Amino acid sequence: MNLNILKEFLAKNKKYLCSLLIILGLAIALEILVFNFSSLKTMGEEPVTIATDVVTDDGGFFETGDITVNTEVKNVYIDGVILFNAQSLSAKIALTDEGNEYEYSMPEFRVIPEVYSTGYVNIYPYGKVNTINISIAVPEGSAAAVGNIIINAKRPVDIKLLRLLVMFIFLWLIFVFWNQENKEFVLTPYRKDSKVQMLFTILVIVALILFGKRLAVSNERIVSSPWPHHKQYQELAESLSVGTVKLLNKEPAPELLLKENPYDTIALSAENIPYNMDYAYYEGSYYVYFGIVPELLLYYPYYKVKGYHLNNYSAQYLLFSVLVIGVFITIRQLIFRYSEKTGKSSFPYILYLLISIGFTLLSNNIYLVSRGDIYNVPIMAATAFIWMGFGMWLIGVEKNSTTVKRIAATAMGSLCMALSVGCRPQFALYSLSGVFLYLFVESQGNKGNKESKKSKESKENILSLSDRRLFKRAYLFDTLAFVIPYALVAMVVCWYNYARFGSIFEFGATLSLTTNDMNHRGFNFDRLFKGLYAFLFQPVNLTLDFPYLKSSSIMSDYMGRNMTEFIYGGCFAANPIFLLVFVPLFGLWKRVGKEAKALFLTFLSVGMVIAAFDVNGAGILYRYTCDFMPAIALSTLIILINIWGILEDKEKALFSKILFVLLSLLAINSFLVFLGTGDSVNLRDNSIMLYEGIREYFRV
């Protein structure tokens, strides 16, 4: 019986299975012929050892001197490296050849014993090499021993199963989206009642959460966290445990107490006045100016229960887990709100998965979770709460939901939205989305499909206060569920602000001892427009060498002090999928529902306002792009899902291909940002084995 079922399955899917075998064969061919090209190229070579049992001198240096070889040289292999008090050694090749009588040097490269491929380097001289000179070096106080230095070494074939799997999946997705015979599969709608889809979605969410855990510990510098000022949440936990918000053991220097302007840190440094960098300082006491919510939800309870402190990267991982769930819930609810028809959506399930994965692993989110320091923890917390909160609100205004479900979702949504403000005060603007969800509610939910064109002037396509879910007798408990969480969180945050600075509206950013005096920074349009260009449209700085992405140049002739660190291109340049926010300008705006229009414009406006606030008030820093990125992402999603609802079937096939390309570019950008070297806390300098291990996948 089982054999007959198997035969029937094979007969029915014979053509598709043959396609999978072809795709697998192509992936294997790429693995062998492309990624192992150097191995194939050296199969017939005769290796020549030019140095044996090499040991660096007291200064950590060794040089072979000029060795005459008079032969073609395709590679150099530094074999059997043993390091003492060092993680890597630096090597450099200098040679003369048929085209160069005078010796010239090649770029330096580093060798790590644990990643054997780093010992191989392909070289491309002008004809035969006459003489070759190889030098190796390690930092002073370290030593290195090398077994052999070989030219024309035979490089073994190295099949990477993970690389093979990624290539197979990518090629399969191309086959799925570009083969017309797969149209039915690609356009298979997302169904609320599909247990298979639900189970698969849960598995993907779990996989992403586990992946986030690996990202959180990827940077050894972040894990060790050697910086004293990154312990502020831990120090605050100790202070709260004894009933104060002032930081214990942080007494200001007498000179600081006498300083007329203690926030001019350049003057403090010039006058050798001790101060604690990036702490809030007010009337002779030190405080934490970072949002209180991560402290109250994670650090303080952990300290009270465990008796020791929660580290920042673990907190970041927990917050990332909330983000993952929030993104999947929000996108699901947007799809069913704007494209639902008789219990199922017209939006394809495979696109739901790819979009949810892509927006979860947005480059900004990857950056935050892989760099879980004191600066990024509150940003990740606020981002996670926005996604979760808006998703809960969408559940709260679902049609035909039970009263308990509606009220619980509304309360949870408001709580998350309010908590985001306790992490980053500028995130309060995101709560404006609740106005259009609860005060102006479209009676039919989906107003972006073709059916709505027949009744443009009908009530179904008009935002009306009569449909509101707040401040209405029939929705008393909904109103309380919406308002009370805000009131409770506001009480805590306002008390905390007043206890520190004597004002419920002072969050402490302007009172921080940072790189510039935030009190007198002021406002001007020159800095604003230059910063917005950098945040939104700055071109991505791609290179030919690994890791292929460098920080963008943000130098300008701004006549003043502007705080800049690094960015990896503006959000629209780095993630072209966000360019969909401009689609309404090309004739589709009238076919989008009123509620969707309102939410789209709200999030887009919120994103621009927050970007302007951050760039003017703080500067051009990559982590500040994370503040407005949820707004850009949500406005993109709203317009994307509504566009799908108004497309013809033939147009949907083309649009799905476009989305696949845009999501692929988004994924590539996220990966490159993860490898980015713009800051000092990067994988190249701080997680050498991981960085070179990843680089090994790109050596051909």
Side-chain angles (χ1 to χ4, degrees):
M1 183 67 178
N2 291 334
L3 184 59
N4 291 333
I5 294 175
L6 178 60
K7 288 181 178 179
E8 183 180 347
F9 174 80
L10 292 175
K12 185 177 180 180
N13 298 278
K14 181 179 179 180
K15 190 173 182 180
Y16 183 74
L17 292 174
C18 288
S19 299
L20 288 181
L21 289 176
I22 293 173
I23 293 171
L24 178 60
L26 182 57
I28 293 173
L30 289 171
E31 177 68 24
I32 295 174
L33 299 178
V34 176
F35 290 102
N36 281 279
F37 178 73
S38 293
S39 301
L40 301 178
K41 186 175 66 173
T42 59
M43 289 181 65
E45 295 297 324
E46 290 296 329
V48 178
T49 301
I50 61 174
T52 304
D53 296 331
V54 168
V55 179
T56 55
D57 59 22
D58 293 339
F61 184 77
F62 170 82
E63 186 174 8
T64 63
D66 293 335
I67 299 174
T68 302
V69 293
N70 290 327
T71 188
E72 292 185 358
V73 179
K74 294 184 178 180
N75 68 20
V76 173
Y77 178 39
I78 299 177
D79 180 33
V81 176
I82 300 176
L83 300 176
F84 303 91
N85 197 31
Q87 288 186 293
S88 66
L89 66 80
S90 299
K92 198 167 187 178
I93 301 170
L95 52 80
T96 62
D97 53 35
E98 289 181 303
N100 297 275
E101 182 179 351
Y102 290 95
E103 188 175 74
Y104 63 95
S105 296
M106 295 181 174
E108 188 176 82
F109 61 99
R110 66 182 181 183
V111 181
I112 301 174
E114 293 82 0
V115 185
Y116 88 93
S117 65
T118 58
Y120 289 92
V121 59
N122 295 332
I123 64 172
Y124 308 97
Y126 282 42
K128 291 183 179 180
V129 173
N130 297 326
T131 64
I132 188 167
N133 180 9
I134 299 173
S135 59
I136 63 174
V138 291
E140 189 174 351
S142 305
V146 175
N148 300 288
I149 299 178
I150 304 169
I151 61 174
N152 293 330
K154 292 183 179 180
R155 186 168 178 173
V157 174
D158 183 16
I159 302 297
K160 299 286 188 185
L161 293 180
L162 178 59
R163 182 170 57 199
L164 183 62
L165 177 62
V166 170
M167 285 191 296
F168 174 78
I169 293 174
F170 183 70
L171 292 172
W172 175 75
L173 286 171
I174 292 176
F175 167 74
V176 166
F177 281 95
W178 263 263
N179 191 331
Q180 290 297 320
E181 295 182 4
N182 296 320
K183 181 179 178 181
E184 184 178 348
F185 173 74
V186 171
L187 299 180
T188 298
Y190 186 17
R191 292 183 170 88
K192 279 185 177 181
D193 58 353
S194 174
K195 294 181 180 179
V196 173
Q197 290 180 354
M198 178 61 71
L199 177 61
F200 196 76
T201 301
I202 292 173
L203 291 176
V204 171
I205 290 174
V206 171
L208 287 172
I209 290 174
L210 293 176
F211 180 59
K213 186 174 184 179
R214 183 67 186 92
L215 290 175
V217 297
S218 61
N219 196 310
E220 295 175 9
R221 188 79 165 169
I222 292 295
V223 172
S224 62
S225 188
W227 313 282
H229 63 287
H230 284 245
K231 311 295 183 184
Q232 293 187 46
Y233 275 142
Q234 290 82 356
E235 293 170 343
L236 182 56
E238 295 179 12
S239 296
L240 291 176
S241 66
V242 296
T244 181
V245 294
K246 297 179 180 180
L247 294 182
L248 306 174
N249 303 319
K250 282 287 184 298
E251 292 297 328
E255 300 91 335
L256 184 63
L257 294 171
L258 299 175
K259 188 68 177 175
E260 182 178 354
N261 180 15
Y263 304 106
D264 184 355
T265 55
I266 294 179
L268 297 181
S269 299
E271 298 170 18
N272 294 319
I273 298 176
Y275 69 96
N276 289 286
M277 182 71 175
D278 279 334
Y279 285 78
Y281 174 76
Y282 182 71
E283 293 187 350
S285 297
Y286 280 108
Y287 302 92
V288 175
Y289 77 86
F290 299 102
I292 186 62
V293 165
E295 175 68 42
L296 296 180
L297 292 182
L298 299 174
Y299 292 88
Y300 178 67
Y302 191 92
Y303 177 68
K304 294 297 290 184
V305 172
K306 294 284 190 177
Y308 53 89
H309 291 296
L310 177 70
N311 51 58
N312 293 330
Y313 68 85
S314 293
Q316 197 75 326
Y317 163 64
L318 294 173
L319 295 167
F320 176 77
S321 301
V322 176
L323 171 72
V324 174
I325 299 171
V327 169
F328 273 76
I329 289 176
T330 295
I331 296 177
R332 177 186 188 276
Q333 292 304 122
L334 286 173
I335 287 173
F336 284 112
R337 186 164 184 81
Y338 295 120
S339 64
E340 184 179 7
K341 297 176 182 177
T342 62
K344 67 179 182 179
S345 74
S346 63
F347 202 86
Y349 176 68
I350 189 171
L351 281 181
Y352 163 69
L353 279 184
L354 292 178
I355 291 172
S356 298
I357 294 170
F359 278 65
T360 297
L361 301 180
L362 197 63
S363 58
N364 300 82
N365 298 335
I366 292 293
Y367 176 81
L368 290 175
V369 71
S370 62
R371 287 168 171 80
D373 57 32
I374 186 63
Y375 303 105
N376 292 335
V377 165
I379 301 176
M380 173 60 84
T383 301
F385 288 134
I386 286 299
W387 282 101
M388 182 64 78
F390 188 63
M392 289 293 107
W393 271 352
L394 289 171
I395 294 176
V397 294
E398 264 187 337
K399 296 180 296 180
N400 304 321
S401 62
T402 64
T403 302
V404 173
K405 178 183 177 182
R406 191 181 72 233
I407 293 174
T410 297
M412 180 60 71
S414 291
L415 178 62
C416 289
M417 286 293 194
L419 289 174
S420 73
V421 184
C423 303
R424 300 278 288 175
Q426 54 267 57
F427 274 65
L429 293 175
Y430 283 93
S431 293
L432 291 174
S433 60
V435 173
F436 298 103
L437 282 179
Y438 283 89
L439 290 183
F440 301 96
V441 183
E442 288 184 299
S443 59
Q444 296 300 317
N446 176 24
K447 301 297 172 288
N449 54 41
K450 292 177 289 184
E451 295 177 2
S452 65
K453 293 192 298 180
K454 300 177 182 178
S455 55
K456 290 183 179 180
E457 304 300 326
S458 69
K459 180 182 176 182
E460 292 181 354
N461 202 26
I462 297 175
L463 293 179
S464 172
L465 279 170
S466 63
D467 295 324
R468 69 187 184 275
R469 299 288 179 86
L470 295 181
F471 310 114
K472 199 173 182 181
R473 182 176 298 177
Y475 294 103
L476 173 62
F477 290 105
D478 296 69
T479 303
L480 294 175
F482 188 93
V483 173
I484 290 176
Y486 274 100
L488 294 176
V489 174
M491 288 172 59
V492 174
V493 173
C494 290
W495 169 84
Y496 182 61
N497 289 345
Y498 189 82
R500 292 180 300 166
F501 310 123
S503 170
I504 63 174
F505 300 111
E506 178 58 69
F507 286 84
T510 58
L511 303 177
S512 63
L513 299 177
T514 186
T515 52
N516 64 117
D517 183 357
M518 301 285 285
N519 286 286
H520 298 93
R521 183 172 170 84
F523 169 87
N524 67 70
F525 284 104
D526 194 16
R527 183 171 67 222
L528 174 65
F529 292 136
K530 290 181 186 296
L532 285 178
Y533 170 77
F535 274 176
L536 302 177
F537 302 108
Q538 176 75 38
V540 178
N541 186 8
L542 295 174
T543 68
L544 294 175
D545 299 317
F546 188 86
Y548 312 116
L549 177 69
K550 290 187 177 180
S551 57
S552 301
S553 174
I554 49 179
M555 299 295 294
S556 74
D557 59 359
Y558 173 70
M559 301 301 288
R561 290 195 67 205
N562 195 13
M563 298 301 104
T564 61
E565 284 187 1
F566 66 94
I567 58 171
Y568 295 114
C571 74
F572 292 115
N575 298 289
I577 194 170
F578 292 150
L579 292 173
L580 289 175
V581 300
F582 298 106
V583 167
L585 299 176
F586 298 93
L588 294 177
W589 187 242
K590 293 182 180 180
R591 300 174 67 183
V592 176
K594 292 291 183 68
E595 180 190 279
K597 287 179 181 177
L599 287 173
F600 169 77
L601 291 174
T602 297
F603 282 122
L604 195 59
S605 301
V606 165
M608 295 303 99
V609 171
I610 291 178
F613 174 82
D614 281 356
V615 79
N616 186 77
I620 304 173
L621 294 81
Y622 190 71
R623 65 175 177 269
Y624 290 142
T625 65
C626 304
D627 285 345
F628 64 83
M629 200 59 71
I632 303 298
L634 285 165
S635 57
T636 300
L637 286 167
I638 290 169
I639 207 65
L640 184 160
I641 294 168
N642 276 270
I643 288 173
W644 185 271
I646 62 180
L647 292 177
E648 302 289 343
D649 288 342
K650 292 181 179 179
E651 296 170 328
K652 287 178 179 179
L654 175 61
F655 191 51
S656 65
K657 296 175 185 177
I658 294 173
L659 286 178
F660 173 74
V661 172
L662 293 176
L663 290 169
S664 298
L665 293 175
L666 183 148
I668 291 171
N669 180 63
S670 297
F671 177 69
L672 296 182
V673 167
F674 173 66
L675 297 173
T677 58
D679 57 342
S680 59
V681 186
N682 56 65
L683 298 184
R684 181 192 61 189
D685 300 328
N686 299 288
S687 293
I688 296 176
M689 284 182 58
L690 176 60
Y691 181 84
E692 293 295 340
I694 295 174
R695 185 176 187 175
E696 188 178 20
Y697 280 74
F698 294 87
R699 296 180 190 272
V700 296

